[in-house]
Amino acid sequence: MRSIRPLFAARRGRSARRRTSPVLAAVGLTAALALTATACNSGDDKADGEPGSSASASQDNGKFKIPDDIKNKLKEHGIDIDKWKHGAWKNWDKDDWLREADDYINPIIKGLWDPDRMRGADDPDKDKGVDDSDLSGDQGVTDPTPASVTAQAVKTAYHDNAAESGKVFFDSPEGTMVCSATVVEDPAHPGKSNLVWTAGHCVHAGKKGGWYRNIAFVPSYNNDGRTAADLQKATKAEVAPYGVWWSDWAQTSDQWIEQGGSTGGKGASYDFSVLHVTPEKGGSGKSLEETVGSALPVNFNAPAVPKVTSITATGYPAAAPFDGQKLYQCTDKPGRLSLAKADPTMYRIGCTMTGGSSGGGWVATGSDGKPALVSNTSIGPVSSGWLAGPHLGPVAKGIYDSVSKKFAGQ
């Protein structure tokens, strides 16, 4: 196992050998564990060709603006921004998609994430998972499989009961995808965070791919808990009452990029990502945290698994029997799941949430009596029943600090 440094920090760390761009991200052990509870889910908006690359951008008074360094990078790779926004992003040519790890570019395409497109990003990835035999080579400590815990619907309005939660939407070679995510605090901007925490496999395809494209976060998606039928007639304001926030920067771990894949559990212990976001429509000048009214602190020194009495996982499960339109939670005392002796032991809880809940935040009460993010959904059995998430340590903190510092002066 290679040692790791915070990846993708604006040309820091290693020079990014791998080229990247968003794909279907599912982390997996092998056949029966679905990443992030069956990993992410795809819709029927299929892209043409094979894997490709994504982009970062900023906004100025509501107008689309690309930093000069990104413009130059786009030119280097022969990308015409106007053509990109009008469909060129659908070109997933492998040589183009597998870019260097620090080449994250995700230009804002206004109006792309409309209610229909968001609602359609929920078909489960049935091939992403692993079974118990995939754990047989482990030399670490794994507790017995936890009893299943039935996911409970979060009371509406979601903003009143889980204001930090939302959905991450993105495009991959396989189509339109969705994960869950959480608004987290930014040490460089107290009370004004634009940081979002999700799974690494929700932004980058891992070993054989690159960055996904058109990555955007929608806080309190379907805030009123409307049914799928009602959502067919819902306006964008009803589906995304706090706006659509595009990711202008993303970082995940070297381990995920080097080891992660669409099946199996490799890289799962490091399956986390931090996004920096900006409003699609320029916004009112308020940050994401100010807009939603809350952000969770991240605890990188959470107690060892046996000492944690309770964890609550939140997400938008989309694979049957769920439809991806409503927010759910599971609360359970965690056990240990070790995928490889050299990797950190993961948290595991009983939970019936399925694909689509990937990346959703795991919250535990700290020694100060306040809730804090301690993990995110990464893998789970295809048949559902439990979820596992990484223990957030030095690698996760390095990525978090890197993204925060990148935007500290802005």
Side-chain angles (χ1 to χ4, degrees), residues 55 57 59 64 81-90 106-114 117 171 213-216 236 244 246 280:
Q59 287 185 304
F64 182 69
I81 189 58
D82 290 324
K83 291 181 178 178
W84 180 274
K85 291 194 294 181
H86 288 89
W89 62 265
K90 294 181 181 180
N106 192 52
I108 295 171
I109 303 177
K110 291 184 179 180
L112 178 69
W113 293 112
D114 59 26
R117 206 161 188 272
D171 284 301
R213 298 172 178 172
N214 305 323
I215 302 173
K236 190 169 184 177
V244 175
W246 283 68
E280 180 176 279

Side-chain angles (χ1 to χ4, degrees), residues 30-113:
T30 302
L33 269 195
L35 262 169
T36 295
T38 309
C40 296
N41 297 305
S42 68
D44 56 6
D45 183 12
K46 297 293 181 181
D48 298 330
E50 300 173 5
S53 95
S54 71
S56 92
S58 62
Q59 287 185 304
D60 182 13
N61 296 323
K63 295 182 179 180
F64 182 69
K65 179 181 178 181
I66 302 176
D68 289 340
D69 61 332
I70 297 301
K71 285 182 180 178
N72 293 334
K73 182 61 66 175
L74 288 168
K75 289 180 180 178
E76 275 181 35
H77 294 295
I79 296 175
D80 181 305
I81 189 58
D82 290 324
K83 291 181 178 178
W84 180 274
K85 291 194 294 181
H86 288 89
W89 62 265
K90 294 181 181 180
N91 175 17
W92 297 95
D93 176 77
K94 190 172 183 179
D95 290 337
D96 182 53
W97 186 52
L98 299 179
R99 299 190 183 288
E100 299 206 355
D102 57 356
D103 286 352
Y104 176 82
I105 49 175
N106 192 52
I108 295 171
I109 303 177
K110 291 184 179 180
L112 178 69
W113 293 112

Side-chain angles (χ1 to χ4, degrees), residues 186 188-189 276 403-410:
D186 181 355
H189 296 96
H276 183 277
V403 178
S404 176
K405 289 176 181 177
K406 178 177 175 63
F407 293 88
Q410 300 182 31

Side-chain angles (χ1 to χ4, degrees), residues 6 197 272 298 300-301 392-403:
W197 193 284
F272 37 71
V298 183
F300 298 102
N301 295 300
L392 306 183
V395 173
K397 188 176 188 304
I399 292 170
Y400 175 74
D401 289 344
S402 177
V403 178

Side-chain angles (χ1 to χ4, degrees), residues 36-392:
T36 295
T38 309
C40 296
N41 297 305
S42 68
D44 56 6
D45 183 12
K46 297 293 181 181
D48 298 330
E50 300 173 5
S53 95
S54 71
S56 92
S58 62
Q59 287 185 304
D60 182 13
N61 296 323
K63 295 182 179 180
F64 182 69
K65 179 181 178 181
I66 302 176
D68 289 340
D69 61 332
I70 297 301
K71 285 182 180 178
N72 293 334
K73 182 61 66 175
L74 288 168
K75 289 180 180 178
E76 275 181 35
H77 294 295
I79 296 175
D80 181 305
I81 189 58
D82 290 324
K83 291 181 178 178
W84 180 274
K85 291 194 294 181
H86 288 89
W89 62 265
K90 294 181 181 180
N91 175 17
W92 297 95
D93 176 77
K94 190 172 183 179
D95 290 337
D96 182 53
W97 186 52
L98 299 179
R99 299 190 183 288
E100 299 206 355
D102 57 356
D103 286 352
Y104 176 82
I105 49 175
N106 192 52
I108 295 171
I109 303 177
K110 291 184 179 180
L112 178 69
W113 293 112
D114 59 26
D116 288 341
R117 206 161 188 272
M118 286 189 276
R119 189 178 65 253
D122 63 0
D123 292 337
D125 290 321
K126 298 178 181 178
D127 297 331
K128 301 213 173 0
V130 299
D131 58 28
D132 292 340
S133 65
D134 296 311
L135 307 177
S136 61
D138 169 49
Q139 299 300 311
V141 178
T142 293
D143 292 322
T145 302
S148 180
V149 172
T150 301
Q152 301 297 311
V154 174
K155 293 181 179 179
T156 55
Y158 297 150
H159 180 261
D160 296 335
N161 296 288
E164 305 88 357
S165 298
K167 278 191 174 188
V168 167
F169 296 94
F170 57 96
D171 284 301
S172 80
E174 286 77 12
T176 305
M177 314 298 289
V178 63
C179 278
S180 300
T182 307
V183 182
V184 294
E185 293 180 352
D186 181 355
H189 296 96
K192 297 182 178 182
S193 175
N194 283 309
L195 302 186
V196 174
W197 193 284
T198 189
H201 76 259
C202 297
V203 299
H204 191 285
K207 186 176 181 179
K208 295 184 178 180
W211 294 106
Y212 293 121
R213 298 172 178 172
N214 305 323
I215 302 173
F217 174 67
V218 176
S220 297
Y221 172 83
N222 188 23
N223 190 46
D224 295 326
R226 291 178 172 82
T227 64
D230 288 339
L231 285 176
Q232 292 183 14
K233 296 173 285 186
T235 64
K236 190 169 184 177
E238 292 171 327
V239 172
Y242 298 93
V244 175
W245 297 70
W246 283 68
S247 173
D248 54 6
W249 193 253
Q251 289 186 218
T252 186
S253 68
D254 278 356
Q255 285 90 334
W256 172 252
I257 285 187
E258 293 176 351
Q259 304 170 22
S262 59
T263 60
K266 291 183 179 180
S269 295
Y270 297 93
D271 184 21
F272 37 71
S273 176
V274 178
L275 312 179
H276 183 277
V277 298
T278 186
E280 180 176 279
K281 293 185 177 180
S284 60
K286 291 184 178 181
S287 65
L288 174 61
E289 181 177 359
E290 291 172 301
T291 300
V292 303
S294 184
L296 285 173
V298 183
N299 188 352
F300 298 102
N301 295 300
V305 177
K307 296 182 179 180
V308 179
T309 59
S310 176
I311 281 182
T312 296
T314 304
Y316 286 85
F322 306 97
D323 63 9
Q325 307 309 315
K326 297 183 179 181
L327 191 63
Y328 286 81
Q329 291 180 329
C330 287
T331 299
D332 193 19
K333 178 176 174 55
R336 295 167 292 185
L337 176 63
S338 179
L339 303 180
K341 188 175 182 179
D343 291 347
T345 300
M346 301 178 73
Y347 292 111
R348 182 163 64 163
I349 63 173
C351 185
T352 59
M353 283 199 290
T354 58
S357 61
S358 292
W362 289 34
V363 177
T365 300
S367 57
D368 59 0
K370 298 180 180 180
L373 186 97
V374 297
S375 187
N376 57 264
T377 300
S378 175
I379 56 176
V382 171
S383 58
S384 82
W386 59 265
L387 301 177
H391 186 281
L392 306 183

